[in-house]
């Protein structure tokens, strides 16, 4: 039987598999379809139920919403159903959860990238972060805020909203105003209440960190490119400058970068575009640096962790070479028994590449 006839027969047959989730869900599916893409089902005994009540992803039981959405997407990716998925159907965090679930049940890397490609078709390319504040009345439609919570009027009360940060744009915060930049034009899209700016930034950084971690760990290039594009645009002058980069370039993110096929080169490219700003990597390695760190390209700092032969707490002079993505580290104060000047690639400094020592130099192994 041809694949086309097989898929046609599946779409007309009644579902023969019930997927059970921890939150009480009962999702109907076709066993023949899922066995084609889920390695954990391929060699399993034939059954009419698939119990996922004990399956946890990153410490959280998988939900009915995630399973149902993933099954729907798998059917579309495999062309089992011919209808198109609605535009803007899923959020980026929903896509993240679907990718994690698909990986957990044994979908191939090719299938994961096919799911991630839905970013261009049916995903909202934005992070959606809750915040308390107001929608400025002068903004027609208040496009960046969930309409269900918005109120009109100059004296609207402070209340909870869902603020959308579109991945292709630059955002800044001026006191309590969240500003969006499009074509060098600024507009205020949200006004925070007096205590909600930092919780908003913390929630945003957590979402950004999770998105980067999953995209690099699963090596799904559509999501990697989208996430790194936002980092690149918002690190030098945008909203990421307000957060220590260690909040979103965490050890697990940098470890995931090391294991991805192009992660190291992509992140290094972003570093080249935004060299050593406080919003992109600097504070994951150094502390106690002054404002001179923001100037090209030499500054003094304290090492926040061991780095090669330099120990945590050492004072160093750092010189950044933009043309080769190299750092030169020198001990302070200089002494005969101190470690000599050492060249190291930025990827090694941030921990997403392993160093290999050559005489007088340190080369970057391919990631």
């Amino acid at each position: 039987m041809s694949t086309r006839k097989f898929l046609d027969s599946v779409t007309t047959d009644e579902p023969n598999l019930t997927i059970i989730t921890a939150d009480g869900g009962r999702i109907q599916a076709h066993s023949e379809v899922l066995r084609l893409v889920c390695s954990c089902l391929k060699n399993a005994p034939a059954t009419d139920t698939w119990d996922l009540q004990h399956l946890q992803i990153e410490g959280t039981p998988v939900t009915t919403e995630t399973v149902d959405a993933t099954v729907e997407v798998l059917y579309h990716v495999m062309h089992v159903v011919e209808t198109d998925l609605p535009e803007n159907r899923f959020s980026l965090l929903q896509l993240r959860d679907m990718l994690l679930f698909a990986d957990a049940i044994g979908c191939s890397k090719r299938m994961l990238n096919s799911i991630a490609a839905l970013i261009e078709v049916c995903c909202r390319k934005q992070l959606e972060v809750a915040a308390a504040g107001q929608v400025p009345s002068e903004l027609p439609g208040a496009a960046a805020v969930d309409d269900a919570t918005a109120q009109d009027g100059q004296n609207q009360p402070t209340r909870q909203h869902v603020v959308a940060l579109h991945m292709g744009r630059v955002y800044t915060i001026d006191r309590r105003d969240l500003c969006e930049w499009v074509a060098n034009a600024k507009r205020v899209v949200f006004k925070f209440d007096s205590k909600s700016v930092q919780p908003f930034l913390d929630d945003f950084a957590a979402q950004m960190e999770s998105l980067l971690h999953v995209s690099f760990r699963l090596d799904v290039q559509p999501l990697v490119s989208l996430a790194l594009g936002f980092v690149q645009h918002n690190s030098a002058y945008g909203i990421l400058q307000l957060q220590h980069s260690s909040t979103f370039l965490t050890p697990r993110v940098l470890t995931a970068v090391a294991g991805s096929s192009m992660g190291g080169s992509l992140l290094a490219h972003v570093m080249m575009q935004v060299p050593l700003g406080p919003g992109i990597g600097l504070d994951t390695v150094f502390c106690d640096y002054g404002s001179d760190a923001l100037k090209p390209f030499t500054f003094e700092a304290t090492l926040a962790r061991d780095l090669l032969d330099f120990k945590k707490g050492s004072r160093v002079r750092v010189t950044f070479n933009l043309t080769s993505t190299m750092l030169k580290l020198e001990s302070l104060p200089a002494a005969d028994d101190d470690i000599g000047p050492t060249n190291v690639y930025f990827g090694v400094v941030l921990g997403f590449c392993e160093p290999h020592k050559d005489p007088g130099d340190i080369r970057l192994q391919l990631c």
Side-chain angles (χ1 to χ4, degrees):
M1 179 181 291
S2 70
T3 302
R4 182 66 259 168
K5 290 183 178 179
F6 166 71
L7 295 178
D8 285 342
S9 69
V10 167
T11 58
T12 58
D13 289 342
E14 290 296 322
N16 58 358
L17 182 67
T18 300
I19 307 173
I20 306 171
T21 57
D23 56 359
R26 297 292 188 274
I27 298 104
Q28 302 301 310
H30 297 83
S31 176
E32 297 87 346
V33 174
L34 296 186
R35 283 177 180 272
L36 289 175
V37 293
C38 305
S39 64
C40 61
L41 281 179
K42 285 180 180 178
N43 299 318
T47 180
D48 59 359
T49 60
W50 189 12
D51 190 350
L52 300 178
Q53 294 182 83
H54 301 293
L55 176 63
Q56 293 196 349
I57 298 176
E58 297 195 336
T60 302
V62 66
T63 65
T64 299
E65 178 187 24
T66 296
V67 175
D68 194 29
T70 305
V71 170
E72 180 183 11
V73 164
L74 288 174
Y75 275 41
H76 279 84
V77 169
M78 298 175 66
H79 304 290
V80 175
V81 292
E82 301 299 335
T83 57
D84 294 330
L85 286 166
E87 190 175 346
N88 296 325
R89 172 71 175 274
F90 305 113
S91 70
L92 283 179
L93 293 190
Q94 285 177 306
L95 179 64
R96 174 204 64 186
D97 291 343
M98 286 188 281
L99 287 167
L100 286 170
F101 173 62
D103 178 62
I105 60 178
C107 289
S108 67
K109 180 179 175 181
R110 180 177 179 180
M111 181 59 67
L112 293 178
N113 274 279
S114 295
I115 295 172
L118 294 174
I119 288 173
E120 300 298 333
V121 180
C122 58
C123 282
R124 303 187 293 276
K125 297 180 184 180
Q126 60 193 36
L127 291 179
E128 298 168 355
V129 186
Q134 298 174 332
V135 182
S137 58
E138 65 270 21
L139 288 179
V145 182
D146 188 337
D147 292 337
T149 63
Q151 290 186 356
D152 294 327
Q154 184 68 28
N155 298 316
Q156 66 184 54
T158 294
R159 53 189 301 183
Q160 201 76 1
H161 300 272
V162 177
V163 181
L165 299 172
H166 298 273
M167 299 299 283
R169 299 176 187 171
V170 174
Y171 293 89
T172 58
I173 294 180
D174 182 6
R175 296 183 181 179
R176 290 169 49 196
D177 292 342
L178 176 66
C179 303
E180 178 184 86
W181 294 79
V182 179
N184 295 322
K186 179 179 75 171
R187 70 184 185 108
V188 177
V189 294
F190 192 69
K191 187 176 291 292
F192 298 100
D193 73 13
S194 59
K195 298 181 180 180
S196 65
V197 174
Q198 192 58 51
F200 170 84
L201 287 172
D202 292 342
D203 191 6
F204 155 71
Q207 289 192 29
M208 195 73 234
E209 190 274 348
S210 179
L211 205 63
L212 287 167
H213 174 245
V214 171
S215 62
F216 280 121
R217 182 170 76 80
L218 300 184
D219 204 12
V220 283
Q221 295 304 315
L223 198 55
V224 167
S225 298
L226 188 71
L228 279 185
F230 186 86
V231 170
Q232 180 176 358
H233 294 143
N234 283 272
S235 292
Y237 307 105
I239 193 171
L240 289 177
Q241 192 179 32
L242 300 175
Q243 287 289 88
H244 283 185
S245 56
S246 56
T247 63
F248 61 92
L249 286 179
T250 59
R252 72 168 188 164
V253 170
L254 296 175
T255 299
V257 172
S260 64
S261 61
M262 295 182 62
S265 59
L266 285 172
L267 190 53
H269 177 71
V270 170
M271 303 292 180
M272 284 282 289
Q273 304 288 325
V274 191
L276 278 183
I280 185 69
L282 182 60
D283 48 71
T284 65
V285 184
F286 305 108
C287 58
D288 298 332
Y289 52 84
S291 59
D292 59 333
L294 308 183
K295 301 175 184 178
F297 291 110
T298 300
F299 61 92
E300 296 180 2
T302 303
L303 276 174
R305 58 175 173 81
D306 292 345
L307 179 61
L308 303 176
D309 295 328
F310 297 87
K311 300 302 181 184
K312 177 180 177 181
S314 301
R315 288 292 292 176
V316 292
R317 178 181 291 111
V318 183
T319 303
F320 182 59
N321 183 345
L322 178 62
T323 61
S324 64
T325 65
M326 294 282 289
L327 294 174
K328 182 171 74 173
L329 302 182
E330 300 173 273
S331 295
L332 291 176
D336 292 340
D337 57 350
D338 280 335
I339 304 167
T342 301
N343 294 323
V344 56
Y345 279 96
F346 200 15
V348 177
V349 173
L350 289 182
F352 61 76
C353 295
E354 290 296 325
H356 173 69
K357 292 186 178 181
D358 287 332
D361 197 5
I362 295 178
R363 302 292 181 184
L364 181 67
Q365 291 183 347
L366 293 177
C367 297

